[in-house]
Structure formats: structure tokens, C-alpha cells
Amino acid sequence: NQLENLLINNIKKMTQSDRPLGFFLSGGIDSSLAVSIASKINTADKIKAFNLSFDDSIYDESKDAKIVAEKNNIDLKIKKLNHLDLIKNLDRIYDKFDEPFADPACFPLLELSRFAKSYVDVAITGDGGDELFGGYEYYRIAKIFEKFGYSKYIIYISKLLKFIKQNHKHSLLYEASKISDPTKFFSFIRSF
């Protein structure tokens, strides 16, 4: 109940506007929840949602977004992209992001922002829920490592890899096995 109240109150604040509101709607839990709450607070004609569609079904979330939009009576705009559209924007990525980072979602996010800009000035995203609630698979993997003594498994794996073929990555993995702090170890493994 407390979490629900926090979400409702924050979305009320974010959606106070005299202009149509935009939401990035992937159809995932985070953005679907934000759009659903917003549709209960505001009139549906004030809310527009935006989604990117892809030919490859692994990356295409437009079907889920359509279900959420229809259920909440939201105007959903979908733009179809392919990998070549994203590659064409490589120069724009370098121009818009000011520090190195390794999030491949920046390509579609930039394109989705461009698409939404032709309809709204501000768009709300559902980012952050996975980080807050541990929704990514690697958080569970980190817990397993911590519970069962991660370092001994990494040592075994790194020693096994030495028999197969020694390279720089195997050496890094072996060095990681010497890290005793679980948080530092996991950070190293994620970056590795």
C-alpha cells in the first residue's frame, strides 16, 4: 500500500501539465505501471505513449505495449526500426552522450526520444524499477555466488580454463577470484 501511494503521488506530480503528456511504453512492468497509474489520474486524451517496433521478435515489445495502451485507452504511437536505422545514428550517439558507457539501449532510446519529440515536449520513462527491485537476472546470480562462496567456483573455473587455452580474460578471471569483498567482486565480474 505504501509503495502504491508513493507511485501514485509521484506520477501525479510528474503529470501536472497543461499540455499532452508522453510516456515511453515498452510493455514491461515499469513503464506499464507508470502509464496505467497515469491513465487513472489524467484523462486519456492527455496521455500519449511511444514505442519502437522491430522486425526481430526478440527485441520487439510492441505487442505488449499495444495491450497496455488498449487496456488503459491510451493513444499509442509506434515507430518501426531496423538495425540499419540505429547504426545510421551512431554519430548522433557520440554527439548526445558525454561520457563512455556500455548501455546498448542508448541507440533505441535516442531514436524513441526523437520520435516522441514530434508529438510532445516531455516524456516519462519507466526506467529504474529493475534496479530498485532487483529485476535483472544477474542480481540473483550474485546472491547465489555470495551464498555458496563465489570465489572457490571462480577459482575452479579459471583453473579449468587454463587447461583449455590461456588468454588475458582467463587471467582476469583468476585475479577476480582473489577479491574477498562480494560487492567489489560482482562489480568486477559485471564489467569483465
Side-chain angles (χ1 to χ4, degrees), residues 24-51:
F24 292 168
L25 178 60
S26 67
I29 292 171
D30 302 340
S31 63
S32 298
L33 184 60
V35 165
S36 296
I37 291 171
S39 72
K40 309 285 185 285
I41 296 169
N42 299 280
T43 58
D45 64 327
K46 281 186 71 178
I47 301 173
K48 294 188 182 324
F50 302 93
N51 176 274

Side-chain angles (χ1 to χ4, degrees), residues 7 10 17-18 21 41-42 55 72 76 82 95 101 111 115 121 124 130 132 144 148 152 157 159 175 185 190:
L7 286 169
N10 279 298
S17 174
D18 57 352
L21 298 166
I41 296 169
N42 299 280
D55 290 327
N72 292 286
L76 176 64
N82 63 40
D95 185 45
F101 67 101
E111 194 56 37
F115 174 51
D121 290 328
I124 298 169
D130 287 318
L132 183 62
I144 291 168
F148 295 109
K152 68 178 178 184
I157 291 168
K159 286 183 178 181
E175 289 303 313
F185 168 77
R190 286 262 302 128

Side-chain angles (χ1 to χ4, degrees), residues 51-98:
N51 176 274
L52 292 180
S53 170
F54 297 94
D55 290 327
D56 190 334
S57 61
I58 293 172
Y59 303 106
D60 185 38
E61 300 171 322
S62 62
K63 290 177 186 170
D64 295 327
K66 285 177 189 173
I67 292 168
V68 173
E70 287 171 10
K71 183 159 180 59
N72 292 286
N73 199 27
I74 301 287
D75 180 20
L76 176 64
K77 308 283 186 200
I78 299 175
K79 181 175 183 176
K80 189 162 196 147
L81 289 180
N82 63 40
H83 65 285
L84 296 175
D85 295 321
L86 298 177
I87 291 170
K88 279 189 256 178
N89 287 315
L90 191 58
D91 288 340
R92 292 184 65 241
I93 295 289
Y94 290 121
D95 185 45
K96 301 298 179 192
F97 294 99
D98 65 349

Side-chain angles (χ1 to χ4, degrees), residues 164-179:
I164 299 169
K165 184 178 178 185
Q166 179 65 30
N167 67 29
H168 180 66
K169 288 183 181 179
H170 300 144
S171 299
L172 285 174
L173 193 57
Y174 182 73
E175 289 303 313
S177 70
K178 298 175 185 175
I179 300 172

